[in-house]
Amino acid sequence: NAGVTQTPKFQVLKTGQSMTLQCAQDMNHNSMYWYRQDPGMGLRLIYYSASEGTTDKGEVPNGYNVSRLNKREFSLRLESAAPSQTSVYFCASSARPRQGGQPQHFGDGTRLSIL
Amino acid sequence: AQRVTQPEKLLSVFKGAPVELKCNYSYSGSPELFWYVQYSRQRLQLLLRHISRESIKGFTADLNKGETSFHLKKPFAQEEDSAMYYCALRDSSYKLIFGSGTRLLVRP
């Protein structure tokens, strides 16, 4: 099993361009998450989807949109990229959230640079 | 406010020395805490969780509600333990709140 797969692995954008980061999981997990990782700030939650058909804002949602396309896929879209969105983006998934102790499984990350 | 604090950005020890990575949390409910690790060029992965009371790769972590801490310990560090370590708290909505991370460097 691949687990959580993110595409692309690297991307460079110009300010104002749009882009969609793709994430897919093959573990039949209900919940999926998008984080950004910045130096000295750890991982911050952008958006999450507790189950298929639902999405909710996390700590830093401004400038982003998400789509839970189906149970497997959860995409993150930057409509008009800004240099402040330069970061490493991680997608994660977990089993049904009400089962205590369920860990999140992470993808390899997408390194995004915005010039 | 819910918060996870890892006060050390970098912890450098020699091989064989004891290691303690500090984690303090702020949470009004009953906390559920995790340690995640990211080795060089690998994805972030779960190391251990407090409800399991387990020891993984020689690491243990005890939840101390009085001190609101969940420090990660290992009695004898190995070079392969060098990595980035994140403490995380699961909130009432089952989201994870991460600390800023501590880079552990184990020198030969």
Side-chain angles (χ1 to χ4, degrees):
Chain A
N1 285 343
V4 178
T5 303
Q6 291 183 235
T7 56
K9 292 194 186 312
F10 304 94
Q11 185 70 48
V12 179
L13 295 177
K14 294 182 179 178
T15 298
Q17 286 186 313
S18 62
M19 158 125 209
T20 299
L21 307 186
Q22 306 288 351
C23 175
Q25 52 91 9
D26 60 6
M27 296 172 284
N28 201 35
H29 284 165
N30 292 95
S31 303
M32 297 185 74
Y33 311 82
W34 275 106
Y35 295 89
R36 59 178 290 172
Q37 183 185 40
D38 300 293
M41 303 188 75
L43 279 80
R44 293 181 293 169
L45 184 65
I46 305 171
Y47 271 93
Y48 68 105
S49 171
S51 60
E52 187 179 355
T54 69
T55 60
D56 286 285
K57 294 179 180 179
E59 182 185 354
V60 288
N62 291 345
Y64 304 96
N65 284 303
V66 290
S67 295
R68 184 74 183 266
L69 304 170
N70 47 55
K71 192 171 185 178
R72 288 187 64 248
E73 299 172 288
F74 188 39
S75 63
L76 178 72
R77 182 161 178 83
L78 287 72
E79 289 291 351
S80 179
S84 61
Q85 294 177 304
T86 293
S87 188
V88 181
Y89 291 84
F90 287 98
C91 178
S93 70
S94 67
R96 187 175 298 278
R98 295 198 182 279
Q99 293 172 356
Q102 292 299 317
Q104 290 187 12
H105 297 258
F106 286 80
D108 287 329
T110 296
R111 190 173 296 275
L112 183 61
S113 294
I114 298 159
L115 308 177
Chain B
Q2 299 161 124
R3 186 167 56 244
V4 176
T5 303
Q6 294 179 250
E8 303 141 327
K9 288 192 186 327
L10 173 66
L11 183 62
S12 180
V13 302
F14 287 104
K15 178 182 173 182
V19 169
E20 182 179 54
L21 288 83
K22 296 191 187 317
C23 172
N24 288 90
Y25 66 90
S26 173
Y27 187 62
S28 57
S30 183
E32 192 174 352
L33 288 148
F34 304 79
W35 277 98
Y36 281 80
V37 61
Q38 189 174 27
Y39 300 103
S40 179
R41 298 190 184 88
Q42 294 187 28
R43 59 182 63 182
L44 195 66
Q45 57 188 286
L46 178 69
L47 180 62
L48 54 79
R49 45 193 150 176
H50 92 269
I51 62 168
S52 300
R53 304 184 70 82
E54 57 203 342
S55 174
I56 303 293
K57 300 184 179 183
F59 284 98
T60 58
D62 291 318
L63 178 61
N64 185 325
K65 291 186 179 181
E67 296 183 358
T68 60
S69 68
F70 187 57
H71 302 329
L72 184 67
K73 300 177 183 180
K74 184 169 183 176
F76 307 103
Q78 302 300 314
E79 290 181 68
E80 55 266 29
D81 296 328
S82 294
M84 194 76 181
Y85 291 81
Y86 291 97
C87 182
L89 167 74
R90 189 196 298 275
D91 71 7
S92 57
S93 302
Y94 298 92
K95 304 189 300 293
L96 285 180
I97 300 167
F98 283 87
S100 56
T102 298
R103 181 169 298 282
L104 175 64
L105 178 61
V106 181
R107 299 181 175 183

